[in-house]
Amino acid sequence: MAPPAPSRSLEQNSPITTILRQICESYPESSCLRELLQNADDAQASEIEYTLDTRTYEGVPLIHPGLQAYHGPALLVKNNKVFTDSDFDSLASIGDSAKRNYQSPGITHRVCLLIFSRQRPYFHRPSSGMVLQYGGNMYDILQCRESEELQNHLKTFQQAKVDTSRAVDATVIRIPLRTETQAESSKIVNRQATVEEIKKALCDLGREIRAGGMLFLRHVRKATARIDDAILWEARTTGATDEDTKAMSSIPSAFSSMYAAAPNPGQSEECSRSFHVNIEYSEGQSSSLRSFLLQHSMSRSSGDLALDAWARKRKLFPWAAVAAPLDSGELWSSLDDHIIDRIITRRLPVWNTSIGCVPFEQGFFVPDGDLVRDYGNSFRAIHLPLVCLEERMFEKLQQRALGLAIEVRILSPEYLRRFLQKNEQSRKIHDYTPLLLHYCLQDFIDGAVTVEEQSRLRNEFRGICLWPTLDNSSAMLKDEPFLLPRGMEEMALFSSSRKSKTLDLEHLAPPVLAYLQSYAFKEPNVVRQRTIADLDIDWTQIYKIDRPDDQADNRLRKKEDDELLRLIWGWISARCEEADSPPLLSIHNLDSLFLMPLNGCRIRKVVSSRKISLTLVLEDADWMRELWDERVSRPTRSASLVLDTKVLPTRAVKLLVSAATKRADLALTISSDLGSLLAWLADNEIFIVGLSDHQKKILTRQLSLLVYQQGPLLQPEVKQALSGKCCNFPSLVKSLLLLRTSKLPPLWFIQALIIWDRVSSTERVSIGTTSRSIRTIEALPPIPSVPGLAFYAPLDTDEKHLLKFFDLLEKVPLDDLFFEHLIPFIGDPEDSIMAEVKLQLVHFVLDKTSRPSDSFKSNFARFKLMPSSSRSGTNGVQFRPLATMVDPTSTIANLYFEDDDVFPEPAFLQRHHEVLRLCGLTRQLTQPILIERARTFATCSRGKQQLMGKLRALKWLPVTWASGKGFQMASPGIGRALDEKELVDQVQGVFEATVTPEWKAILGWDQVIERPVLLEQLKKSLAHRSRGRVDRVLVYLDDLGDCNFLKQTACILSSHGDYLLPERLLLPGGLLSKYPLAPYLDEVEPSFARKHSKLLKALGIRQDITFDDILNVQNIIIESAQTRGLSNDQLNVVISLLELSTQLQGDSKATATIKIPDTEGRLLPRSEIVCGDPNVTGKMASFSFVSSKVSPDLVARLGLENSFARATRLGIEFEDEDEDEYTPREKLTTTISDTLGRYTVDSTFSEFLANANDCGASQISWILDPCTEGAYESSALLSEELKQLQGSALFVYNNGGKKKK
């Protein structure tokens, strides 16, 4: 059976004016201006302008006579976007906005004028023939431009500064102010709206915007308010940086993607954006700038899949946005508990810190107070996410977190240490290191950390750059501990060594320094004090020596370094005196250091790697002190090695005296140690020479006493070394001449000096050099006194005792005496007497030698021992080396002229001919002889014409070849002189000697080098990249002229070091230096260009680049990139081509041929390329976007078309839904839900009671039907939808009668 038909249908509705009145009563008066601002943002407008037009416009006819009442003062609101059909539809919807202070608005946009009314009865006049339809009438401005009525209406929009004669990409809303007459009959708001009220509302809106009223808008970035033509205020929001601006713009698309049914793989369940926004606000003559940190967060996962699907369908994912003012600490002062709980549990990044907004779990919380005041700047420097809260808010946060069982990270030294371990910024905070280190150590200093925990917690300091070091940086504790100076004096002493490992006391807070110096923190793995063992590293950094690579044992020292030496030895002495310090004897770290100051402003190493001379250490009371002071007071320069004790502290001298006899490798001696003192005296002969007879006697006596006391105790090897190597004692010399010789053999031990007088038959002569006692050689000719060789006889008991103890007499072989002492001393005599002495000695030695040994031959060749006699009849004896003498009986004698001084003296040759032949008298032709003869012929004129023909054809010149042939004899035709080596050495041989011009003419080397030879030399020089040879050949060819053939040779040096063809090069100083095109086109290397300027001009190398050059390079790149696309290097060259094309003034056709790189590495014509964001959808995704490596400035100069401009030009529709799909749409049910949400349950009963009273009821009752036995029968109902209403319900009954109304 079908359900019965209704007797009457009642449509549930309410007058629009009633709904608007209720809405207006629910909104504050100023909400209209904010609503208009929101409307502009919804329309994606970037600018909005409010204009209070105070004028009244006259003019008839009008579209409807009743509209004249609305041509008075009005508010005009203009934005730079065009209304869509949906925007017009929303104006007719119920829940639009609060229209409190206006009547019958007019709207003009692009080409349309809409005259709108919310009160239909006022304009419903059918008899007039003009009906203003419910909601409003729309007119096409351009089609009706001839209409006088329409133009009269458009006059009221002129203050908005729009041209109504054409289509305008803007929307202007004109809202007339309600007059007193209109207010009396208004069914919405019966109150007049005055100009002053609207002006005040505009001022209030400006203050709201200044305080952040535009922060959460998605599109509007600029707002202006005017009263007629005068600007009231102006506001603008901008990103603090380009990155902030990009983040602001990305919010709509980023949050829109959260609603995708199938999210991208790996896409996070949350989307968050943080950025820094500035609000620039000006009002009158004043202006301000406020900064905010904004955080937008959206989550699409609640853990309930059904709830997530429901929220996605309705676009109701939770979206939280918070703005934190950077110039105020009042952000969190008014938050209630519920909001705080939500912020904590949802992990929203809204907690304001110096690095931006962070989630709860990332922040470190502190109450505002002394900690922030003392350490705030330091915390900001390390980018610590510190959240500073008022005391009341801090306590509230702790309470709420406790209730949620969530820990609040209250900043502590332990937290800060852990943060710094992970934070790279801590390496750049040297200025804040003292405070940060103080805070990090606070729990240690205060004793809050037990001794057992210290070792574990100390690991927290590893990886933290907090330790202030002398290099003005903050260092990190790694494998090596830091060095803690004992005081400012020690820090100054070591200030130039290991700065990065030495703590700077000036940057340590006093409590920190005191703690580090205590026992609690003196752990070897964290911080320690310097010891003597550190000097092997530190001293080389503190004390700089000249020529550090020199291996000399001692060096000159600067006088100004004496104070440094005094300080370091004072420091060493202090360390040795410490109870736990090892003695100096066991410390070998000092061995290689220059620490020993010597007399004569010298310094030596503590221990040398090789044998060195001993250094004498003299204390003030030493018996040798008087001898030394007397000696050095004389002007004679002393080379003796004596420790300069005046530089050292007294305790340092005592330290060295104590170590001298216990460590032989220190090479120190004292006057009370016989062995080392004798060794020192042996090596310091000049000291003995300067002593007087009395002083020598004192020295001899002291040595004799030491021999008596310590001689028997000397080790046998020491005594043997002294006696066998120190042979400098006196004896008699045969004849009246004195015999003195140098040391033989060279001594490995320090030489002892003799202090006795040497005796001759007539006088006593003091010996001041090392000497050897030798036996007289029988029949030895008279010889001069040779230093270092003498015969000695003891003069007193002390001398006799010393001679006997050391057994110092020896026999010297004749060869050794002759070659090692006599001949080196005589040398090349200048007077005839000494020459005769030398000749007699040579006769004596050769007469004694019948079969010369190899050593004799070698020694005989070392000296000038051959007397020569010129065949021209010169007198006197001249000595020449054996190697330069020629046997006159040999065949090579014919190479010499008769007056060449190369033949031995005839009598000498006849007497010793056999021995000389065995010793190697020259008899055969050798290379040196050939070279010497060539040089001789080159400098003389004898026989030149006769020899010219033979010399040119004969292979007689020794030349060298660079091609691997080595040394060969060659004719002049295949060689050149040394000065032309770089012109031919890769092709021909080179005579390694200087040749005169005259001799060059003889050899034919004065002729021009043949071009084939030069070209081959150039080719090989280029292959070897020998720039010197290339330059020399090019200069030579340039001087010859006609170098056009070089255009086909890659011989010009580019600025990148390559040799290129001339056609690929330009002169330096042009645009290529700024926009390089290598390797396709380059500039000539500057020094090469200066050297070869004439050649470059002849080869036609230009200064400036042309469009043809640019196009040639472009074509080469296009051809090479056809298959694989542009490489990074090619892309850089292409960008340089674009830069150059904008710099050159060329014709438009040539400019148009320049191609632009796209995002896929292709080169495309300019007409196919657009600029803009390539991440677009729809048809615009098919556009070819310019490569991201092309700078925005270059894009602007190239004049590339914007992607949106091209889409508009081509009629391609924009896909707006990507930006708008997250915006919830308002429905009637939404309006009802909103109304119910603003009323409590109790107020519902009051409303029923009021309704009963309105209909005249005298009784009312409420009945609650709980349906305890279940819902009522629902198998047959009027509608299936009514099944859900068959359950529990509330009945309201009154005895009044409802009227039809």
Side-chain angles (χ1 to χ4, degrees), residues 10-225:
L10 295 177
E11 180 182 357
Q12 182 180 9
N13 59 20
S14 177
I16 296 177
T17 54
T18 302
I19 296 175
L20 291 177
R21 181 176 65 252
Q22 292 173 349
I23 293 175
C24 289
E25 290 172 351
S26 302
Y27 285 87
E29 295 183 357
S30 60
S31 62
C32 174
L33 300 178
R34 288 196 296 271
E35 183 71 14
L36 291 167
L37 177 61
Q38 184 62 51
N39 290 343
D41 190 62
D42 293 340
Q44 302 184 15
S46 62
E47 297 182 10
I48 186 171
E49 181 178 274
Y50 300 90
T51 302
L52 178 57
D53 187 356
T54 62
R55 290 176 291 186
T56 299
Y57 297 88
E58 301 292 343
V60 292
L62 297 175
I63 294 176
H64 191 284
L67 293 176
Q68 182 61 54
Y70 301 99
H71 282 205
L75 176 66
L76 279 75
V77 184
K78 180 178 72 173
N79 66 64
N80 60 348
K81 277 293 182 179
V82 179
F83 261 34
T84 63
D85 292 341
S86 60
D87 294 327
F88 282 112
D89 293 340
S90 69
L91 290 175
S93 64
I94 294 177
D96 181 26
S97 61
K99 314 302 191 286
R100 173 179 294 274
N101 294 325
Y102 59 87
Q103 298 270 56
S104 187
I107 301 175
T108 178
H109 87 111
R110 197 149 194 174
V111 297
C112 294
L113 168 66
L114 170 64
I115 302 176
F116 196 75
S117 173
R118 290 293 186 182
Q119 303 184 72
R120 178 173 55 178
Y122 186 88
F123 291 102
H124 188 65
R125 297 179 183 175
S127 61
S128 66
M130 184 71 72
V131 178
L132 186 61
Q133 295 296 333
Y134 179 76
N137 294 341
M138 185 181 295
Y139 302 90
D140 190 311
I141 297 174
L142 298 183
Q143 291 182 0
C144 304
R145 69 177 66 182
E146 302 299 331
S147 170
E148 184 179 359
E149 291 87 350
L150 190 62
Q151 292 302 318
N152 286 333
H153 281 291
L154 291 176
K155 289 179 181 178
T156 63
F157 287 87
Q158 64 185 19
Q159 196 63 29
K161 310 295 194 248
V162 294
D163 184 2
T164 59
S165 64
R166 60 182 181 85
V168 180
D169 289 336
T171 298
V172 183
I173 301 176
R174 183 178 185 274
I175 307 175
L177 303 189
R178 184 180 298 105
T179 65
E180 184 176 0
T181 302
Q182 294 166 346
E184 292 175 356
S185 59
S186 176
K187 296 181 180 181
I188 300 177
V189 177
N190 50 10
R191 186 171 64 81
Q192 179 185 6
T194 65
V195 171
E196 290 301 322
E197 288 177 340
I198 303 304
K199 178 179 179 181
K200 180 179 179 301
L202 288 173
C203 291
D204 293 342
L205 178 64
R207 284 189 287 272
E208 283 187 30
I209 289 178
R210 179 180 179 274
M214 292 171 57
L215 291 175
F216 300 114
L217 299 180
R218 294 166 295 154
H219 302 285
V220 175
R221 297 291 178 260
K222 180 180 178 182
T224 307

Side-chain angles (χ1 to χ4, degrees), residues 1172-1183:
D1173 185 2
N1175 299 315
V1176 293
T1177 59
K1179 295 181 179 180
M1180 290 176 60
S1182 63
F1183 288 175

